[in-house]
Amino acid sequence: MSKILIRFDDVAPGMAWSKFIPLKEHLESLGIRSILGVVPDCQDQKLNVEEIKPDFFNLIRTYRDYGDIIAQHGTHHNYVTQDSGILGINNFSEFAGLAFEEQKLTLKKGKEILLAEEVWQPYFMAPAHSFDTNTLKALRDLDFHALTDGYGFYPYIKENIVLVPQLTSFYLPIGLGIQTICIHINALSDSGIQSISNFVRKNQKKFISFKEAIEINTGSSIIPTSLRILSKHILRAKRKRFSDK
Ligand SMILES: [Zn+2]
């Protein structure tokens, strides 16, 4: 049976709380823990779609106490390069393409904000899924352990960081491995939220926590490695076809 993780990108003070809070309460009623991609110092105005919550970090501490994973989602969520990084998904990034020291400095700023708010955990979620080898090295230097991104259906290790795969915003019924459903709540319609709510209710038993996922160590065995390479080629070809239109 395949296992599922759920992650929320763009958790920031001005996010779509009117959509997020009911969905989050629904997940909690089912005992499901989420990965929350928290932006330490949001400077991306596109993420402000509702009234700013002044008690933002109080809420994050509540979620942390519930057992959600807090993943540092960049630092400012500003796109400063046109580099798509290792995964080659989007051609914009807060990190990929920058020098190691510059990346480390920005990451450290974000980490210090989260530490001061007592919500830092050693997990990372790259804005736009875009990071490069220097990002991974800087994360390792700053004592990060894992990030939510990557091809395939099993966690793997790159530059001493565990990559827990994230492929699509929906579930692929392949019957094995781990999949991470990625939710951009600001852009979700009411019907989209309804279908996610129905999906989590029906699949409640398949959900695991991020920490459980990290512990699944497959080494370099042949099936996970083949699936990773296969998913990379299929998704890249699919994205290329769409971007060609
Ligand atoms: Zn984002």
Side-chain angles (χ1 to χ4, degrees), residues 9-10 47 73 77 79 127-128 184:
D9 291 44
D10 305 336
L47 301 191
H73 189 38
H77 208 279
Y79 295 128
H184 288 87

Side-chain angles (χ1 to χ4, degrees), residues 31-45:
I32 295 170
R33 265 78 178 164
S34 308
I35 305 163
L36 303 178
V38 175
V39 185
D41 174 31
C42 185
Q43 294 178 6
D44 184 346
Q45 291 309 316

Side-chain angles (χ1 to χ4, degrees), residues 178-243:
I178 301 169
Q179 294 184 50
T180 307
I181 301 170
C182 173
I183 298 181
H184 288 87
I185 196 84
N186 294 351
L188 263 188
S189 63
D190 289 346
S191 64
I193 290 175
Q194 195 53 52
S195 64
I196 290 169
S197 300
N198 295 340
F199 173 81
V200 294
R201 192 182 307 110
K202 276 187 210 148
N203 293 279
Q204 180 188 7
K205 288 193 168 58
K206 292 181 186 160
F207 280 84
I208 59 167
S209 74
F210 190 65
K211 285 180 189 167
E212 286 175 276
I214 291 169
E215 293 309 315
I216 297 173
N217 186 356
T218 57
S220 56
S221 53
I222 187 77
I223 292 175
T225 306
S226 309
L227 284 170
R228 185 157 73 242
I229 294 165
L230 188 66
S231 74
K232 180 175 169 177
H233 288 298
I234 290 172
L235 285 171
R236 282 197 170 173
K238 200 173 159 206
R239 286 184 186 117
K240 186 164 189 318
R241 208 171 67 234
F242 285 126
S243 64

